Amino acid sequence: MLKVGLVGVGGISGAHIPVWEEMENAELVALCDIRPERMEKYKEKRCYLSFDEMLEKEELDILDICLPTYLHADFAVKAMEKGINVITEKPISLKNEDVERVYSAAKKNNVKFMVAHVLRFWPEYELLKEIYDTKKYGRLLSGTMIRLGGYPKWSWDGWMMDEKRSGMVPFDLHIHDLDFMVYAFGLPKVKYQYRSKLANQDYISLVYDFGDFSINSEASWYAASYPFTAEFRFQFEDAVVASENGKMIIHLRNDEKIDLSVEADGDTGNINLPKSNAYANEIQYFADCVENNKPVEKFKQEELECVLEILNNL
Ligand SMILES: NC(=O)c1ccc[n+]([C@@H]2O[C@H](COP(=O)([O-])OP(=O)(O)OC[C@H]3O[C@@H](n4cnc5c(N)ncnc54)[C@H](O)[C@@H]3O)[C@@H](O)[C@H]2O)c1
């Protein structure tokens, strides 16, 4: 049984904790947050206000880091120095040099490390990558990826609105799509960029050049409470593959469409994507790597370096 500790019991921990709780081969034994009220509902766990004390008193196999972005790398290295395997929420850091520092610490201490970039485990995005890899609908010609929402006013200590601690829209929001692009399609060049940033709003628009095709991407924290929207549309030679308005549809050249969002009912045009929780997929993937001593093959250091380098040059 893997013994797991989690630090940072804020918003995203609400997606991680239930996954650990349901896993048969892992037990979430300890939580840590500087705000005791965040841990009140987990009375059966050992709760710590100090990370150092948690590391000292617990014998953990895995640490799950759900802290604000600027703390990820230091906390990861500290835990790995104690021989603990680490999964951290995205991004690995705001600083390029931290990627090498974190991966070196993992290597030196012979532990596993993974950044929880959840789109790599999201069924719609996994299918898009499969369509690209297999050339099922021909070559990729163009793509659009969008991630929009209102300004995050809820974070602890307002850290998300502080560029030095969160990196704002590029590092907090757009990084989801950029990381997926680098993972699925390789290393791009930035062909066009535009950013409008004020005290309480941030918007970026980019065009990435992959050689044979380009991808437009938009991400925003609008000042208005705009509904969260994450969509994509990819033009292949023989089909447009789109995840829009809550539906994933493949629009074929012959005007037929395959709707992947409806229940399979025997109609050959309708198939279903697996109903799966991407946060569970990513956490189970890492736990499996740790339990069975497998390399964390789905992530490469150079991909993470490429993403940070692009974002730090915007
Ligand atoms: N993958 C996703 O879809 C997704 C979604 C949201 C957030 N995130 C990432 O998750 C991370 C956390 O975001 P969030 O929205 O949960 O933030 P949050 O502000 O809601 O939570 C952060 C928590 O960390 C605690 N904390 C701060 N300093 C601490 C310290 N030194 N020791 C212990 N606890 C400390 C705070 O009290 C707070 O409870 C961010 O890096 C963000 O990029 C990922």
Side-chain angles (χ1 to χ4, degrees):
M1 184 69 83
L2 298 166
K3 293 216 175 328
V4 181
L6 183 147
V7 60
V9 190
I12 196 62
S13 75
H16 288 222
I17 292 172
V19 175
W20 289 118
E21 295 287 60
E22 282 188 14
M23 276 172 57
E24 284 174 3
N25 56 343
E27 189 190 356
L28 181 62
V29 294
L31 296 174
C32 172
D33 199 293
I34 49 175
R35 293 185 295 170
E37 68 276 16
R38 293 296 310 174
M39 301 182 286
E40 265 165 19
K41 67 175 177 176
Y42 302 108
K43 296 211 184 314
E44 74 290 2
K45 310 286 176 216
R46 292 186 287 278
C47 295
Y48 297 89
L49 296 174
S50 150
F51 182 60
D52 288 342
E53 191 186 342
M54 178 166 91
L55 288 190
E56 204 182 290
K57 296 204 170 143
E58 297 291 334
E59 294 219 343
L60 302 175
D61 298 301
I62 294 178
L63 175 73
D64 182 353
I65 300 179
C66 293
L67 290 165
T69 296
Y70 66 101
L71 298 172
H72 293 176
D74 285 349
F75 278 62
V77 169
K78 200 178 235 190
M80 291 192 290
E81 295 287 355
K82 294 240 170 196
I84 302 169
N85 301 285
V86 170
I87 177 170
T88 179
E89 257 306 338
K90 42 58 67 175
I92 184 170
S93 173
L94 300 171
K95 296 186 233 153
N96 300 2
E97 61 272 22
D98 275 347
V99 183
E100 171 60 27
R101 182 164 73 95
V102 168
Y103 271 86
S104 299
K107 203 168 165 197
K108 187 178 116 206
N109 295 290
N110 197 22
V111 293
K112 303 199 187 300
F113 170 79
M114 186 178 113
V115 185
H117 275 295
V118 72
L119 291 194
R120 298 187 186 213
F121 300 87
W122 207 282
E124 283 83 346
Y125 292 80
E126 286 182 313
L127 180 60
L128 171 63
K129 176 165 163 46
E130 186 191 313
I131 289 171
Y132 173 75
D133 288 344
T134 58
K135 297 200 170 53
K136 189 173 178 181
Y137 300 115
R139 283 189 305 122
L140 177 57
L141 303 176
S142 76
T144 299
M145 299 187 89
I146 291 171
R147 203 158 287 268
L148 310 172
Y151 216 82
K153 302 177 185 110
W154 59 84
S155 61
W156 161 77
D157 197 34
W159 72 269
M160 273 207 206
M161 301 193 215
D162 175 358
E163 187 152 26
K164 285 197 211 69
R165 291 190 285 173
S166 75
M168 308 245 311
V169 161
F171 285 86
D172 196 75
L173 208 54
H174 176 60
I175 194 167
H176 285 287
D177 291 320
L178 177 57
D179 174 77
F180 179 79
M181 286 182 225
V182 170
Y183 164 62
F185 311 125
L187 313 185
K189 289 204 170 71
V190 177
K191 202 152 122 189
Y192 166 84
Q193 57 175 298
Y194 171 77
R195 183 171 185 186
S196 64
K197 186 177 59 156
L198 299 174
N200 61 353
Q201 49 193 306
D202 193 11
Y203 168 89
I204 56 171
S205 168
L206 291 139
V207 178
Y208 291 106
D209 180 1
F210 288 86
D212 292 342
F213 55 89
S214 77
I215 298 179
N216 299 299
S217 195
E218 247 192 312
S220 75
W221 285 341
Y222 293 124
S225 54
Y226 191 85
F228 179 70
T229 308
E231 300 187 330
F232 65 70
R233 183 176 2 98
F234 281 80
Q235 174 198 13
F236 292 87
E237 281 176 298
D238 298 324
V240 175
V241 177
S243 175
E244 292 167 324
N245 305 313
K247 285 183 166 238
M248 175 130 183
I249 296 180
I250 300 175
H251 304 262
L252 298 169
R253 213 183 233 286
N254 62 5
D255 293 339
E256 282 178 17
K257 59 182 183 181
I258 303 171
D259 186 343
L260 295 121
S261 343
V262 294
E263 288 298 323
D265 60 5
D267 180 334
T268 48
N270 293 337
I271 47 173
N272 244 348
L273 280 173
K275 281 191 179 44
S276 75
N277 171 349
Y279 295 98
N281 299 344
E282 69 180 357
I283 288 171
Q284 281 159 2
Y285 172 81
F286 184 68
D288 179 49
C289 291
V290 172
E291 190 174 32
N292 298 303
N293 195 20
K294 295 190 209 159
V296 184
E297 275 174 345
K298 219 172 152 102
F299 290 82
K300 299 195 171 43
Q301 181 177 340
E302 59 266 29
E303 294 168 347
L304 304 176
E305 279 167 346
C306 166
V307 166
L308 290 202
E309 198 161 318
I310 289 174
L311 295 179
N312 274 315
N313 281 316
L314 292 182

